[in-house]
């Protein structure tokens, strides 16, 4: 009995130590910053874009890349995923702006030249600064908010609180805590997770046309999360399932064409 008691104590201590480590490291896991190096658009092969440094409401300096929209064309306000950096998205950005559509793409705090350290509230402050930058230059009806992966939570928050024209969510989730709970089934993540990005609680306040795109084989964010979020959203809305699509490769399955059609007139 004494031996079993000690085994239980050791296992319990190990479990608690694991919980403590997860709690301390949770933001490193949620925000795996790929690079802190600042690279100008031209150096990244995107001379069409202008770099601007914005000041968030708490004083952090965040970078956006801006390609001015041609007269009468819409403008995409793009919020990337947690493993993205702007220079790594140049190929897609070029495709987005090829028809004269404008672009404002945000580098979150701590990412690729922006100051500070990421958190949910921090990213929402950064997004507010990017939105303010966009609305100084464009009518809100021309603004299409586009979020990818983690950025869908940021995009939903913006569209729920501010006037925009349309909303695109690529590989979205109901909340990051739902995704984490599905991965760490033996951990009380709902009690421990600080940055939960509750899109499920915000999406009903989005009243503009909505497009959700999700791959059926997404290994990072199961399509079930996107389907649940879609069910909570208001009309007009459209869900496009890309059969065989993963997380990072939806352009290979027609996501860019689907998004551009939506941007240029489709209402779901």
């Amino acid at each position: 009995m004494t031996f079993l008691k000690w085994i239980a104590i050791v296992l319990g201590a190990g479990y608690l130590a694991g919980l403590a480590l997860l709690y301390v490291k949770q933001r490193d896991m949620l925000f795996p910053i790929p690079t802190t190096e600042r690279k100008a658009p031209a150096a990244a092969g995107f001379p069409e874009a202008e770099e601007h440094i914005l000041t968030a409401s708490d004083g952090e300096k965040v970078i956006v890349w801006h390609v001015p929209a041609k007269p009468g064309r819409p403008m995409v306000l793009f919020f990337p995923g947690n493993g993205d950096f702007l220079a790594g998205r140049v190929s897609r950005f070029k495709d987005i702006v090829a028809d004269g559509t404008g672009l404002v793409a945000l580098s979150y705090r701590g990412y690729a030249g922006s100051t500070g350290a990421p958190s949910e509230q921090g990213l929402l402050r950064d997004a507010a600064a990017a939105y303010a930058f966009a609305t100084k230059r464009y009518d809100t009806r021309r603004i299409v908010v586009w979020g990818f992966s983690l950025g869908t939570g940021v995009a939903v928050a913006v569209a729920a609180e501010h006037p925009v024209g349309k909303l695109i969510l690529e590989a979205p989730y109901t909340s990051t805590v739902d995704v984490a709970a599905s991965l760490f089934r033996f951990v009380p993540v709902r009690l421990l997770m600080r940055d939960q990005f509750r899109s499920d609680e915000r999406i009903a306040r989005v009243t503009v046309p909505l497009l959700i795109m999700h791959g059926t084989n997404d290994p990072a964010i199961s399509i079930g999360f996107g389907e649940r979020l879609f069910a909570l959203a208001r009309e007009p809305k459209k869900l496009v399932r890309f059969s065989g699509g993963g997380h990072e490769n939806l352009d290979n399955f027609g996501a860019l064409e689907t998004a551009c059609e939506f941007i240029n007139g489709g209402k779901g």
Side-chain angles (χ1 to χ4, degrees):
M1 291 298 293
T2 301
F3 176 75
L4 293 177
K5 178 181 177 181
W6 278 108
I7 289 292
I9 291 173
V10 169
L11 290 176
Y15 177 73
L16 292 175
L19 290 183
L21 182 63
L22 283 173
Y23 182 78
V24 171
K25 294 292 186 180
Q26 61 177 280
R27 281 184 171 155
D28 292 335
M29 299 170 66
L30 184 59
F31 307 107
I33 299 172
T35 180
T36 58
E37 179 187 2
R38 178 180 175 183
K39 181 175 285 191
F46 194 34
E48 304 94 322
E50 312 159 348
E51 181 187 77
H52 297 265
I53 300 176
L54 312 182
T55 302
S57 60
D58 60 353
E60 297 294 354
K61 305 294 185 181
V62 295
I63 289 172
V64 295
W65 287 3
H66 176 218
V67 177
K70 294 292 180 12
R73 298 294 299 148
M75 191 283 301
V76 169
L77 178 56
F78 189 83
F79 298 116
N82 64 347
D84 284 339
F85 58 103
L86 298 186
R89 281 286 182 176
V90 165
S91 178
R92 168 174 271 194
F93 292 160
K94 282 180 171 290
D95 288 337
I96 289 173
V97 304
D99 64 356
T101 297
L103 175 72
V104 173
L106 172 64
S107 182
Y108 304 126
R109 60 184 58 204
Y111 283 74
S114 296
T115 67
S119 67
E120 178 177 4
Q121 288 305 310
L123 266 60
L124 295 185
R125 290 176 186 270
D126 301 344
Y131 176 81
F133 174 90
T135 56
K136 288 179 180 177
R137 293 159 175 80
Y138 304 96
D139 186 285
T140 57
R141 292 170 294 183
R142 294 173 64 188
I143 297 175
V144 180
V145 178
W146 184 340
F148 167 67
S149 191
L150 181 76
T152 62
V154 180
V156 170
V158 169
E161 299 298 333
H162 303 285
V164 299
K166 296 179 181 180
L167 175 62
I168 299 173
L169 303 177
E170 181 182 2
Y173 46 81
T174 47
S175 67
T176 53
V177 72
D178 283 346
V179 177
S182 73
L183 298 174
F184 301 98
R185 297 184 183 275
F186 300 102
V187 176
V189 292
R190 298 186 188 281
L191 299 176
L192 300 176
M193 194 166 179
R194 289 179 282 184
D195 306 296
Q196 299 195 6
F197 290 94
R198 297 302 302 258
S199 291
D200 54 345
E201 297 178 353
R202 293 175 170 134
I203 192 68
R205 300 200 300 274
V206 175
T207 59
V208 297
L210 167 67
L211 169 66
I212 289 182
M213 304 187 294
H214 218 128
T216 60
N217 292 354
D218 192 325
I221 301 174
S222 169
I223 191 173
F225 293 113
E227 291 171 337
R228 285 167 54 193
L229 188 66
F230 180 77
L232 295 170
R234 300 169 62 169
E235 296 284 357
K237 60 184 179 179
K238 182 177 183 179
L239 170 62
V240 179
R241 301 173 178 87
F242 294 100
S243 180
H247 191 66
E248 298 275 359
N249 66 347
L250 294 189
D251 283 353
N252 297 336
F253 294 81
L256 185 66
E257 292 80 5
T258 298
C260 287
E261 180 180 358
F262 176 76
I263 291 169
N264 291 315
K267 295 183 182 299

